[in-house]
Amino acid sequence: MHPFELTILGSSSATPASNRNPTAQLLNVDGRFFLIDCGEGTQMQLRRYKIKFQRIDHILISHLHGDHYLGLVGLLQSMHLLGREKELHLYCPKELKEIIDIQNKYSATKLTYSIIYHFTNGETSELLFEDNKLTIHTIILNHRIPCTGFIFREKPGDRKISIEKLEQYEVSIAEIHKLKKGLNGLDNHGKEISNELLTSPPPPTRSYAYCSETCYFEEIIDQIKEVDLLYHEATFLNNMLERAKMTFHSTALQAATIAKKAEVKRLLLGHFSARYPDLDGHLAEAREIFNNTLLAIEGEKISI
Amino acid sequence: MHPFELTILGSSSATPASNRNPTAQLLNVDGRFFLIDCGEGTQMQLRRYKIKFQRIDHILISHLHGDHYLGLVGLLQSMHLLGREKELHLYCPKELKEIIDIQNKYSATKLTYSIIYHFTNGETSELLFEDNKLTIHTIILNHRIPCTGFIFREKPGDRKISIEKLEQYEVSIAEIHKLKKGLNGLDNHGKEISNELLTSPPPPTRSYAYCSETCYFEEIIDQIKEVDLLYHEATFLNNMLERAKMTFHSTALQAATIAKKAEVKRLLLGHFSARYPDLDGHLAEAREIFNNTLLAIEGEKISI
């Protein structure tokens, strides 16, 4: 199977912790690199983990709190200084364009490449991206300002052809394009042969849901049902539930409750408050409810 | 003598090097902390070197290239999240206010403290700050966009009183306020005693000139004459002189030439291009012209 792999670049909430950077993740879907949020210092983190800036063609920004986008202008300007020519696709609230434009204007920066903007709306889920292998939809979250998560879903691949079966049923190699798509084939005598006799199903499709900042919000459950990996913010432990509610954040227990109700395969916690130097409490609290829980640790890769 | 000490927080030019951060320095003048430029990641660097954000009451931004200010909005928002109430003084080109305001607006951030803006002009040197101990003036540099350096000069301290001499000349302790300021005193019989007989000179005043980004520009020499420490950018080595000219930067050799002509005491080089993993070449090239040269290395403190 081709890679569907997440790299954690930052997992801190708004005030930086000395050993954690603000939010950023990189999703590699078969060699296409999607940068998801871009907190301050993301370009240094990309350097640290030896990820080439110019391989990133798509950047998604969930919302306009600084810890999720303040590294973007620096990264865009570095891509420019390094001579990028390829278009860059930027999926974000429309106000971000204004923030980028004003800074390029005052630094007299005329980018060497084009940014193609795809503005998100904070109100209804929409299809952001689609190609032959993948779709990305927004997830409407519930935070202090409009905030969207993102759900990445692989499309089903081609059915697998059995060369032995083609020989057995005397089906020509010329038929395989149809067969891969699930259509029936013709044998060398013109007789129709059922697809199921000649092929096996494609590998299962994979999915990743990214819920950057939100209070406990059951309305997302239907959309993230049974995803392979759910990233859900867990800024606080549950003994700070009131603070979580007040600031529209979640606790580790709440994230795990969402994971359980959505019957996801694995849960990834992140966006940890700087007050927690050690994250064992988050892991233990979540695993009480949902055992298959991981922590977002910088530099770690998670294969989905 | 009270501290007059510089801490290097970043010394990279615009594209980040994996082991260097973009420009930022902290100057401690007797417990007052001046942050000079604030490249991306400065707040993480402050954390790394255990410098408390809230001790910084003055931030100076030389110009609006991203590598000199992109860490500012994050730092301002962190000061807010940490509950700052004290006023913060910001010395910068006027356009920076627009850049800050728009980002606070779209993140719905109403700062818990006031920013007092002091706008620099890129055309004439001006007094930016003055109190009982220090003045700061701008230095007009020559870069692609308006860019000011900063020169910090201590004011002369009080003359030192000799208690023995007061006794010898029968001068009352009530006279010391006048004597510290250099005025003559009266003895217990009403006779005037010359200040020089009762006091010794104050410690020498110290000065620091910060020249963030500039091409070779002799017009600054008069203003920085004989400073104790000159920071001068040295983006390139002199075999890239043409590139330096084209981009309005300096070479190590040019920085050293300015230091020599200005007869400064020490030269500090910084703003190194990411193309130089090792900086021995900069040091050697500068020392050929001006021996008392140092490199800006992150985390190092330089006592002035």
Side-chain angles (χ1 to χ4, degrees):
Chain A
M1 278 201 297
H2 63 74
F4 195 95
E5 187 182 66
L6 190 70
T7 303
I8 306 301
L9 301 171
S11 63
S12 172
S13 68
T15 53
S18 35
N19 58 344
R20 293 194 292 264
N21 283 269
T23 304
Q25 302 184 354
L26 188 83
L27 185 68
N28 171 5
V29 181
D30 197 17
R32 269 161 312 172
F33 287 74
F34 297 87
L35 180 64
I36 309 169
D37 279 339
C38 186
E40 183 177 351
T42 296
Q43 58 174 330
M44 289 81 149
Q45 291 291 86
L46 289 169
R47 288 256 167 167
R48 181 166 304 153
Y49 300 120
K50 304 201 187 309
I51 299 158
K52 291 195 165 57
F53 297 180
Q54 308 295 28
R55 293 201 66 177
I56 299 168
D57 291 335
H58 304 273
I59 302 179
L60 301 92
I61 302 293
S62 66
H63 69 301
L64 294 187
H65 278 154
D67 55 323
H68 291 254
Y69 82 86
L70 283 175
L72 182 63
V73 170
L75 178 60
L76 297 179
Q77 293 186 350
S78 291
M79 287 174 163
H80 157 80
L81 290 167
L82 296 169
R84 183 184 180 102
E85 295 180 354
K86 266 190 305 181
E87 287 174 349
L88 181 84
H89 293 267
L90 185 50
Y91 308 82
C92 60
K94 69 177 189 309
E95 295 83 0
L96 189 57
K97 180 171 189 300
E98 233 180 289
I99 291 172
I100 293 167
D101 286 349
I102 193 176
Q103 295 188 78
N104 284 338
K105 175 178 150 199
Y106 289 137
S107 62
T109 304
K110 170 86 183 69
L111 295 179
T112 53
Y113 60 95
S114 299
I115 299 176
I116 313 293
Y117 284 92
H118 306 264
F119 295 133
T120 54
N121 78 72
E123 292 173 14
T124 50
S125 173
E126 59 197 327
L127 177 69
L128 276 189
F129 173 89
E130 178 167 22
D131 70 2
N132 59 334
K133 292 200 172 148
L134 188 75
T135 60
I136 309 174
H137 286 82
T138 54
I139 304 168
I140 302 304
L141 301 173
N142 190 356
H143 194 47
R144 297 195 301 279
I145 60 173
C147 182
T148 57
F150 305 106
I151 183 162
F152 299 77
R153 291 188 185 278
E154 274 189 312
K155 290 183 172 177
D158 290 341
R159 293 185 68 86
K160 292 192 183 236
I161 308 290
S162 160
I163 297 297
E164 294 73 26
K165 295 287 182 186
L166 290 187
E167 282 175 3
Q168 180 186 336
Y169 287 97
E170 300 183 358
V171 173
S172 148
I173 203 90
E175 293 290 285
I176 67 168
H177 191 71
K178 277 158 60 188
L179 293 170
K180 278 182 176 177
K181 298 300 168 199
L183 303 172
N184 294 337
L186 294 177
D187 72 9
N188 296 338
H189 316 290
K191 183 181 158 206
E192 185 163 339
I193 309 289
S194 163
N195 187 294
E196 285 71 31
L197 295 172
L198 303 168
T199 70
S200 56
T205 60
R206 293 163 291 179
S207 52
Y208 173 52
Y210 171 80
C211 297
S212 55
E213 286 202 24
T214 187
C215 63
Y216 180 80
F217 192 49
E218 294 196 344
E219 291 179 37
I220 67 177
I221 290 173
D222 276 352
Q223 200 182 356
I224 63 174
K225 200 89 185 171
E226 297 177 4
V227 292
D228 291 289
L229 182 66
L230 167 65
Y231 169 85
H232 195 292
E233 73 125 297
T235 308
F236 299 107
L237 290 177
N238 214 54
N239 59 9
M240 295 197 69
L241 182 61
E242 286 312 309
R243 174 108 186 124
K245 284 181 182 170
M246 201 175 77
T247 56
F248 286 75
H249 284 300
S250 298
T251 69
L253 185 146
Q254 290 179 319
T257 305
I258 293 288
K260 186 178 181 185
K261 291 193 175 188
E263 301 171 73
V264 307
K265 304 231 175 57
R266 284 190 294 172
L267 169 65
L268 176 65
L269 300 179
H271 201 263
F272 308 113
S273 164
R275 79 193 68 219
Y276 305 108
D278 165 315
L279 302 169
D280 293 348
H282 284 71
L283 197 57
E285 182 173 293
R287 284 183 172 169
E288 285 277 315
I289 306 284
F290 186 84
N291 188 55
N292 212 346
T293 299
L294 309 167
L295 297 172
I297 304 293
E298 293 179 21
E300 287 199 359
K301 288 178 193 292
I302 299 153
S303 198
I304 299 170
Chain B
M1 279 201 294
H2 63 73
F4 196 96
E5 188 183 66
L6 190 70
T7 304
I8 306 301
L9 301 170
S11 63
S12 172
S13 67
T15 55
S18 33
N19 57 345
R20 292 193 292 264
N21 282 269
T23 304
Q25 302 184 355
L26 188 83
L27 184 68
N28 170 5
V29 181
D30 197 17
R32 270 160 312 171
F33 287 73
F34 297 87
L35 180 64
I36 310 169
D37 279 340
C38 187
E40 182 176 352
T42 296
Q43 59 175 329
M44 290 81 150
Q45 290 291 87
L46 289 169
R47 289 255 166 169
R48 181 167 304 154
Y49 300 121
K50 306 202 185 308
I51 299 159
K52 292 195 164 58
F53 296 0
Q54 308 295 27
R55 294 202 65 177
I56 298 169
D57 291 335
H58 305 272
I59 302 179
L60 301 92
I61 301 294
S62 66
H63 69 300
L64 295 185
H65 279 154
D67 54 324
H68 291 254
Y69 82 86
L70 283 175
L72 182 63
V73 170
L75 177 60
L76 296 179
Q77 293 186 351
S78 291
M79 286 174 164
H80 157 80
L81 289 167
L82 295 168
R84 182 185 182 103
E85 294 179 355
K86 265 192 304 182
E87 288 176 346
L88 181 84
H89 293 266
L90 186 50
Y91 308 83
C92 61
K94 68 178 191 307
E95 295 82 0
L96 188 56
K97 180 170 188 301
E98 232 179 292
I99 291 172
I100 293 167
D101 286 349
I102 193 176
Q103 296 188 77
N104 283 338
K105 175 179 150 195
Y106 289 138
S107 61
T109 304
K110 171 84 183 67
L111 295 179
T112 52
Y113 60 95
S114 299
I115 299 176
I116 313 292
Y117 284 93
H118 307 264
F119 295 134
T120 55
N121 77 73
E123 291 173 15
T124 50
S125 173
E126 61 198 324
L127 177 69
L128 275 189
F129 173 88
E130 179 167 20
D131 69 2
N132 59 333
K133 292 201 173 149
L134 188 75
T135 61
I136 310 173
H137 286 83
T138 53
I139 303 169
I140 302 304
L141 301 172
N142 190 356
H143 195 48
R144 296 196 301 281
I145 60 173
C147 182
T148 58
F150 305 106
I151 183 161
F152 299 77
R153 289 187 186 278
E154 273 189 312
K155 290 184 173 177
D158 289 341
R159 293 186 67 86
K160 291 194 187 234
I161 309 290
S162 160
I163 297 296
E164 293 75 23
K165 295 288 180 185
L166 290 188
E167 283 175 4
Q168 179 186 333
Y169 287 95
E170 299 183 2
V171 174
S172 147
I173 204 92
E175 294 290 286
I176 68 168
H177 190 71
K178 277 156 62 186
L179 293 169
K180 279 183 176 174
K181 298 301 170 200
L183 301 173
N184 294 337
L186 295 178
D187 71 8
N188 296 338
H189 316 291
K191 184 182 154 203
E192 183 162 343
I193 309 289
S194 164
N195 187 292
E196 285 71 32
L197 295 172
L198 304 169
T199 70
S200 56
T205 60
R206 293 162 292 178
S207 53
Y208 174 53
Y210 171 81
C211 298
S212 55
E213 286 203 23
T214 187
C215 62
Y216 180 79
F217 192 48
E218 293 196 346
E219 291 179 38
I220 66 177
I221 291 173
D222 276 352
Q223 200 182 356
I224 63 174
K225 200 88 185 174
E226 297 177 4
V227 293
D228 292 289
L229 182 67
L230 167 65
Y231 169 86
H232 195 292
E233 73 125 299
T235 309
F236 299 107
L237 290 176
N238 213 54
N239 60 9
M240 294 197 71
L241 183 59
E242 287 312 309
R243 176 109 185 122
K245 284 182 182 169
M246 200 174 79
T247 55
F248 286 75
H249 284 301
S250 298
T251 69
L253 186 146
Q254 290 180 318
T257 305
I258 293 289
K260 186 178 181 185
K261 291 193 177 189
E263 300 172 72
V264 307
K265 302 228 175 59
R266 284 190 294 173
L267 170 65
L268 176 65
L269 301 179
H271 201 262
F272 308 114
S273 163
R275 79 193 67 217
Y276 304 110
D278 167 313
L279 302 169
D280 293 348
H282 284 71
L283 198 57
E285 183 173 294
R287 285 185 172 168
E288 284 278 315
I289 305 285
F290 185 84
N291 189 54
N292 212 348
T293 300
L294 310 167
L295 297 171
I297 303 293
E298 291 177 23
E300 287 200 358
K301 288 180 194 292
I302 299 154
S303 197
I304 298 170

